[in-house]
Amino acid sequence: IATETNIAWLVEHKYRYLVVSREQVRHFDVNQAVETTTASEEIVRMQRVVSEDGSEVRLYCHSEQRQDKESAMSKRFIERFEKGVAALAAGLTKPRCEKRIDKLWERIGRLKEQSHGIGQHYKISLIPDESGKKAVSLTWEKTPVDGTQLTHPGVYCLRTNETTWDEPTLWHTYTMLTDLEAVFRCLKSELGLRPVFHHKEHRADGHLFI
């Protein structure tokens, strides 16, 4: 797991690494990107950015297939979130529906928690009545936050301390590593080696081919 602590440990012990960045902010400039083709004939665009101290490279990658998938997910979550907010707004004109401002904010907060990050792209306002305790109207405005999945769908970032490698080399090396990990997971599953909770050595013999 590419946490900052783990990467600092790798650097301290002079290990090379090529990992997926856990940073939440996405960047990608298509004008500075180069292209490569996957085994399935998909085009992947890559932007190479060197850190200020020259010790690390970030490779921002854009996949059209990933973009289609993430855009579809965002669309579904947007529709669900806006439907929930619209229901709260409609309830202000109906009898026996919640109109207390504090309770409405609780429900709005619950909608944001369940929105898979979509809630951050909306500014919601409640207009109070003369007493200040009940709302008479609810409005919302969609303001996409830059550097997120909504504004940069299909973008992910790799980071490495191999500063001499070019974009295709970094990307193809990473895909090779993920393929190897998939093979190891498959082998462990087929052999029944994961998980093994035996406490005596002879009981684990049945999980091995000799």
Side-chain angles (χ1 to χ4, degrees), residues 77-131:
F77 294 141
I78 286 172
E79 292 175 351
R80 185 185 304 171
F81 181 78
E82 291 187 352
K83 182 179 179 180
V85 176
L88 294 178
L92 298 177
T93 61
K94 299 177 181 179
R96 295 184 298 276
C97 287
E98 186 61 70
K99 298 177 179 63
R100 291 173 294 176
I101 289 181
D102 56 342
K103 295 299 181 181
L104 287 172
W105 280 125
E106 288 181 6
R107 295 189 179 185
I108 292 170
R110 196 173 300 117
L111 285 174
K112 287 189 174 184
E113 287 179 352
Q114 299 170 352
S115 69
H116 298 267
I118 291 299
Q120 66 180 313
H121 304 290
Y122 286 83
K123 291 183 178 180
I124 300 176
S125 300
L126 288 173
I127 309 301
D129 61 5
E130 294 181 355
S131 68

Side-chain angles (χ1 to χ4, degrees), residues 128-179:
D129 61 5
E130 294 181 355
S131 68
K133 295 181 179 180
K134 293 185 177 181
V136 294
S137 68
L138 185 156
T139 61
W140 66 92
E141 179 184 2
K142 186 179 178 182
T143 54
V145 178
D146 191 35
T148 61
Q149 178 175 306
L150 190 62
T151 60
H152 292 74
V155 174
Y156 57 97
C157 178
L158 307 178
R159 57 188 296 189
T160 179
N161 56 356
E162 276 291 351
T163 58
T164 60
W165 290 4
D166 61 9
E167 294 91 331
T169 302
L170 287 170
W171 189 84
H172 285 292
T173 301
Y174 173 74
T175 56
M176 179 186 67
L177 292 174
T178 56
D179 289 343

Side-chain angles (χ1 to χ4, degrees), residues 11-99:
V11 172
E12 180 183 355
H13 292 80
K14 296 181 171 42
Y15 286 108
R16 297 185 298 169
Y17 60 87
L18 175 58
V19 297
V20 177
S21 174
R22 292 170 60 86
E23 298 170 350
Q24 298 299 317
V25 180
R26 301 186 180 195
H27 303 278
F28 187 73
D29 185 352
V30 68
N31 297 319
Q32 299 181 16
V34 299
E35 295 182 354
T36 189
T37 305
T38 68
S40 59
E41 302 299 324
E42 178 194 359
I43 295 178
V44 176
R45 297 176 178 85
M46 303 161 293
Q47 177 190 359
R48 186 176 182 271
V49 179
V50 182
S51 62
E52 293 183 358
D53 59 5
S55 63
E56 191 176 50
V57 169
R58 280 173 171 77
L59 189 70
Y60 296 99
C61 307
H62 174 266
S63 164
E64 291 185 356
Q65 289 186 358
R66 189 183 182 113
Q67 176 178 332
D68 293 341
K69 177 182 177 181
E70 292 184 349
S71 295
M73 291 172 56
S74 295
K75 181 181 178 181
R76 185 169 70 253
F77 294 141
I78 286 172
E79 292 175 351
R80 185 185 304 171
F81 181 78
E82 291 187 352
K83 182 179 179 180
V85 176
L88 294 178
L92 298 177
T93 61
K94 299 177 181 179
R96 295 184 298 276
C97 287
E98 186 61 70
K99 298 177 179 63

